[in-house]
Amino acid sequence: MSNKIIKLSRNTESAPICDNSTQSVAFSHYNNISAQLPINPDTNEIVSKNIREQAKQCLLNIQTIVESIDHDMSDVVKVNVFLSDIAHSKAVNEVYSTFFNDHLPARTAVSVAQLPIEGALVQMDALISNGVGTTPQKPCDLVKLSRNTPKAPKSAISNQTVAFSHYNNISAQLPIEPSTGKMIIGDVKKQTTQCLTNIKMILESINVPLDDIVKVTVYLKDLSDMEAVNEVYSTFFPDSAIARTLGYVPARTFVSASELPLNALVQIDAVISHGDGTPPQAVEDRHGIVIKPNNTPDAPMDSLSTQTVAFSHYNHISAQLPLDVKTNEIIDGDVKEQAKQCLTHIKTIVESIGHVMDDLVKVNIQVTDVADMNAINEVYKTFFSRELPARTVVGVSEIAKGAQVQIDAVVSNAEGTPPQR
């Protein structure tokens, strides 16, 4: 047997099975769960037109998948909730809270233009801690570490940061002033400053600098605000002398939101490297693991994001648009050609760091018309020769540069980052 860590892809017939994704893809100390729609696995139809029943079914599907791999809901570290209408948040939250007691995951909630199936009002995906690891790792009793600070906004249904093993997951931060608990008054620049300040306060409370962020996702009410967001963003990254010398910035994805909680213009979440690990990993076991960013000129480059950021046993790939590398403009062609171009960029980036597409564990697809997914799936499957990654698909009203599709990904990294061996 190879001594390299092995990706473990699994489905259970007790939850909805999709031809274009795997329900659960585990690698090292995390499981990636595909987005679950409110589908009854016995009938393969949407369970109800009622938002509470739909939210419950999404969570039951996640719970079924989690339990099928000998885990439970207390092992969930991050949940993403995609709503058709932000007004459904209260009802969804009431149902959501019944599935989690003292082990609240980090969370992001947003409304989007479309969900993959007509009639769906909500879908959710999840990230699960995996203390047993994957072959040939030996099981270890790692502890999930959830923390909050009064210097950032608190929520009754999520923790600000949830760490497990060598990663921290930060709940989406809204432009809320923590001392008042209210939205700040101001334009998108001021709101972006507050979101990033909240993230910085959370990280400082756990002795982590901003430059330990490996991936940022920015949810915008209006994509025309991207330039204004970038002006603020560039004042936060890089955040240290070393990072400025190296020109390090995290991987990044923009998502067009139909609505955000509290009618915000922007919200931001993040994935953080955690070299310390979580108990019982000891201080002397930190190994000095380093972030390893990489860009290749054979794929589109952006001064405010890195194409791929590796840390420990994962690589995080920035969202790829269907751009011509030479012109930096959207290619000519239909949605199938655009999807092919996005996936080709991901493949180029992945191969530039000595990996292959079958190392992908999670894929996120944004599309301006979910009816185009049949065409996209025809192309999508040709890029993989083994089990398909976990996947989340959302319909958005707009994608940067007028694209019809945008794709990002998380990649397994068996070799780890230095000085791991």
Side-chain angles (χ1 to χ4, degrees), residues 57-362:
Q57 188 64 53
C58 291
L59 288 159
L60 283 173
N61 289 342
I62 290 173
Q63 184 177 40
T64 298
I65 294 167
V66 168
E67 290 177 351
S68 76
I69 55 176
D70 298 323
H71 284 265
D72 59 50
M73 293 295 274
S74 68
D75 291 329
V76 178
V77 296
K78 174 73 190 291
V79 174
N80 293 306
V81 181
F82 300 97
L83 298 161
S84 65
D85 186 343
I86 204 71
H88 289 147
S89 294
K90 182 178 179 181
V92 170
N93 290 347
E94 289 174 0
V95 175
Y96 182 91
S97 63
T98 66
F99 281 79
F100 302 100
N101 296 314
D102 298 330
H103 299 279
L104 293 171
R107 199 178 85 144
T108 294
V110 60
S111 77
V112 291
Q114 295 174 286
L115 293 174
I117 294 180
E118 185 177 355
L121 304 175
V122 60
Q123 79 169 355
M124 303 182 199
D125 66 16
L127 182 66
I128 314 296
S129 61
N130 184 34
V132 296
T134 51
T135 305
Q137 290 175 317
K138 295 180 180 179
C140 51
D141 294 325
L142 295 175
V143 176
K144 189 172 75 171
L145 188 56
S146 303
R147 289 172 287 189
N148 292 295
T149 173
K151 294 183 178 181
K154 289 186 178 180
S155 168
I157 56 172
S158 66
N159 281 300
Q160 292 167 353
T161 171
V162 181
F164 187 78
S165 188
H166 291 300
Y167 275 96
N168 273 292
N169 297 271
I170 306 296
S171 288
Q173 293 302 301
L174 288 160
I176 294 172
E177 209 288 317
S179 63
T180 64
K182 295 180 179 180
M183 285 270 295
I184 64 163
I185 298 172
D187 61 10
V188 73
K189 285 187 178 181
K190 289 183 178 178
Q191 291 199 13
T192 302
T193 298
Q194 188 65 53
C195 293
L196 289 168
T197 298
N198 289 342
I199 289 174
K200 188 171 185 176
M201 291 299 99
I202 293 168
L203 296 188
E204 287 183 355
S205 75
I206 56 175
N207 299 316
V208 173
L210 269 182
D211 289 320
D212 279 358
I213 294 177
V214 295
K215 173 71 188 296
V216 171
T217 303
V218 181
Y219 299 88
L220 267 181
K221 178 77 176 296
D222 186 344
L223 279 191
S224 66
D225 286 333
M226 285 177 65
E227 185 175 342
V229 169
N230 283 339
E231 286 183 33
V232 175
Y233 191 87
S234 63
T235 67
F236 281 80
F237 301 96
D239 189 48
S240 66
I242 294 175
R244 284 190 289 273
T245 299
L246 297 174
Y248 173 71
V249 286
R252 191 173 70 165
T253 294
F254 274 99
V255 179
S256 174
S258 296
E259 295 287 345
L260 292 169
L262 303 180
N263 203 30
L265 301 176
V266 59
Q267 77 171 357
I268 303 174
D269 67 18
V271 180
I272 317 297
S273 62
H274 187 220
D276 295 358
T278 52
Q281 291 171 324
V283 172
E284 58 269 21
D285 293 332
R286 293 178 184 178
H287 305 302
I289 305 170
V290 301
I291 291 173
K292 191 172 183 181
N294 188 76
N295 287 307
T296 171
D298 296 324
M301 290 202 280
D302 183 338
S303 63
L304 290 178
S305 66
T306 301
Q307 290 168 353
T308 174
V309 179
F311 183 79
S312 188
H313 292 303
Y314 280 94
N315 281 286
H316 300 263
I317 309 292
S318 288
Q320 296 300 305
L321 290 163
L323 298 174
D324 182 305
V325 178
K326 294 180 180 178
T327 66
N328 205 39
E329 298 296 330
I330 301 295
I331 63 166
D332 293 330
D334 60 13
V335 71
K336 186 181 285 190
E337 288 300 315
Q338 289 198 15
K340 182 178 180 181
Q341 188 73 356
C342 293
L343 289 161
T344 297
H345 291 326
I346 290 174
K347 182 179 180 181
T348 298
I349 293 166
V350 167
E351 291 180 348
S352 75
I353 54 174
H355 284 263
V356 296
M357 289 294 280
D358 285 323
D359 289 337
L360 270 61
V361 295
K362 178 71 190 295

